[in-house]
Amino acid sequence: GINAEYGKSKAPNSVYHETSQGVVSFCPELKAIKMLSDSVIKEVWAYNLEEEMTQIRELVEDYPYIAMDTEFPGVVARPVGTFKSTTDYHYQTLRCNVDLLKIIQLGLTFSNAEGKMPRGVCTWQFNFNFNLNEDMYAQDSIDLLCRSGIDFQKHSQQGIDVTHFGELLMTSGIVLEDNVRWISFHSSYDFGYLLKVLTCKPLPPEEEEFFELIRAFFPCIYDIKFLMRSCKNLKGGLNDLAVDLEVERVGPQHQAGSDSLLTCITFFKMRQLFFENKIDDAKYLGVLFGLSGGLLPHSSPQPYFVANTYQDTI
C-alpha cells in the first residue's frame, strides 16, 4: 500500500458509476466507468453553449465542488529583464504567455461535498474558437493535442467565442461565489486563462494584483499539487497520481473534460486516503502551486516558493 502521513490503508480499486439514487459514487467495478465515458462528458460548442450554461446554473447549487482543467497552446515566450524573485519570474512567464495565447478547451466536473456527481452528465468540455492559421501556439503542444484527438478544424469553424463565454460565465453562479469550491491540479495557468476570459483584459503586471482577482472570482481553491506536499510517496503529474491512487481515466488524456473528471475523482480519493475525508482549509485552501503562497482567505499572503515545472501539469 501507499505509506501516507494521514493514513496507511489502501482502498480498493475505486471508480464511479450510476446508482439508483441518481448519483455517481465509489464502486469497485472498473467496467462501469468505461461504459459511462460517452455519457458523462458533454461536448460544448458555439451552437449549444447557452443551453448547457443553463444546465450548469441549475446544477451548481446542489453540486458546488467544481474540478477544472484547461488546454492551451503551450508556452511560447520567456520574460526578459530584472525580477524581484524567482516567484516573480514564474508569474511574469505565466502573464506574458496567457496574454499572448488563447484558451483551447475548458473542462468542468461537478460534484457535492461527498464527491458524488450528478446522474448522467457531470462534466462539460467547452471547445473554443482557435485557428491554427491565425493564432499563436507552440508546435509541440499542438502536436500533443492533435494526438489526443482535438479537432482543430472544428475548433476554427464551430468553436465558442471567448467573449460571449465570459459574459455567460459571469452570470453562471460558479464564479464570485464563496460556497463554490474549485479543485485543480497545478493550476496557475488554468486560472490565468479564466481570469483573462472573465475580465477581457491582460493579466495584472504584479502577482499580488493577480491574487486579488483570484480571491474575488474564485474565493475557494484546492490545488492537488500543493496538497501532495503533505502526502508521502505521492509525486509527479496528474496521471502519475491517478495511477498511484488506482483511479481510472474516462476519455482521452490531454482533453480538458477527461482531465477535469480525473482531477475530481483523484481529489476525493486522495482526501479519503490521506486526509481522513477532511482537509484543513486554514492550511490548504487557496494556494496555487508554483506561485507565491498567497490568497489564503483569512490572512495576508505568506510568500514562499514551490518549484514550478510545466511538465508537472501533465
Side-chain angles (χ1 to χ4, degrees):
I2 301 170
N3 292 321
E5 184 174 337
Y6 294 93
K8 297 181 180 178
S9 62
K10 183 176 180 182
N13 220 358
S14 299
V15 293
Y16 290 90
H17 77 142
E18 284 191 32
T19 70
S20 59
Q21 286 75 37
V23 298
V24 180
S25 58
F26 281 118
C27 81
E29 298 87 0
L30 287 175
K31 290 183 179 179
I33 195 65
K34 293 179 180 178
M35 293 172 62
L36 289 171
S37 61
D38 293 334
S39 61
V40 299
I41 301 176
K42 183 72 173 183
E43 295 281 355
V44 187
W45 300 89
Y47 67 84
N48 64 337
L49 172 63
E50 296 199 12
E51 175 186 352
E52 297 306 323
M53 290 300 286
T54 299
Q55 295 289 328
I56 285 174
R57 277 193 293 273
E58 296 173 353
L59 194 72
V60 68
E61 186 173 344
D62 294 326
Y63 300 94
Y65 279 64
I66 306 175
M68 181 271 292
D69 182 75
T70 68
E71 299 298 337
F72 52 90
V75 174
V76 300
R78 299 286 178 185
V80 294
T82 304
F83 304 97
K84 300 179 219 176
S85 63
T86 310
T87 53
D88 181 44
Y89 171 77
H90 283 293
Y91 174 69
Q92 298 305 330
T93 303
L94 180 155
R95 180 170 76 97
C96 69
N97 281 279
V98 171
D99 287 351
L100 284 169
L101 303 174
K102 292 171 59 176
I103 187 172
I104 296 173
Q105 281 186 338
L106 169 67
L108 301 177
T109 296
F110 291 78
S111 65
N112 65 15
E114 288 73 47
K116 295 178 180 178
M117 303 175 187
R119 185 172 185 172
V121 173
C122 61
T123 300
W124 279 259
Q125 180 166 278
F126 297 90
N127 300 281
F128 295 98
N129 182 269
F130 194 91
N131 191 322
L132 292 177
N133 295 320
E134 299 174 1
D135 298 318
M136 192 179 298
Y137 56 85
Q139 187 63 56
D140 58 343
S141 295
I142 295 300
D143 291 345
L144 177 66
L145 295 177
C146 286
R147 290 194 298 271
S148 299
I150 291 183
D151 183 347
F152 281 101
Q153 183 175 356
K154 189 171 183 179
H155 275 263
S156 67
Q157 296 170 348
Q158 300 181 39
I160 297 165
D161 176 75
V162 72
T163 303
H164 183 42
F165 177 76
E167 294 169 351
L168 295 174
L169 189 59
M170 284 290 288
T171 59
S172 64
I174 68 174
V175 298
L176 303 165
E177 295 287 341
D178 290 334
N179 64 318
V180 172
R181 304 264 166 150
W182 291 82
I183 304 166
S184 59
F185 187 97
H186 200 166
S187 52
S188 53
Y189 276 81
D190 298 317
F191 283 107
Y193 278 102
L194 284 187
L195 282 183
K196 180 182 176 183
V197 168
L198 286 161
T199 63
C200 299
K201 295 178 181 178
L203 293 185
E206 300 295 332
E207 186 181 356
E208 183 178 346
E209 300 171 65
F210 172 78
F211 277 118
E212 288 176 1
L213 288 173
I214 291 287
R215 286 190 199 98
F217 286 104
F218 312 100
C220 302
I221 298 172
Y222 296 112
D223 191 329
I224 294 174
K225 188 67 176 175
F226 180 69
L227 292 173
M228 288 168 64
R229 287 162 49 93
S230 297
C231 306
K232 292 181 181 179
N233 295 338
L234 292 186
K235 59 184 179 179
L238 177 61
N239 285 313
D240 298 320
L241 179 61
V243 169
D244 286 342
L245 299 184
E246 298 181 329
V247 173
E248 185 83 353
R249 175 181 286 277
V250 184
Q253 182 181 350
H254 302 304
Q255 290 208 23
S258 174
D259 285 352
S260 75
L261 181 54
L262 190 66
T263 298
C264 182
I265 301 174
T266 300
F267 171 80
F268 287 104
K269 185 75 173 288
M270 184 177 174
R271 190 182 72 172
Q272 175 193 19
L273 288 176
F274 291 86
F275 296 92
E276 298 178 350
N277 275 327
K278 185 172 178 58
I279 292 176
D280 182 357
D281 286 351
K283 185 175 181 180
Y284 296 105
L285 190 68
V287 182
L288 293 186
F289 185 91
L291 295 178
S292 293
L295 77 95
L296 293 175
H298 303 300
S299 63
S300 298
Q302 300 299 313
Y304 58 85
F305 173 64
V306 184
N308 183 12
T309 60
Y310 178 65
Q311 183 64 29
D312 272 348
T313 66
I314 297 175

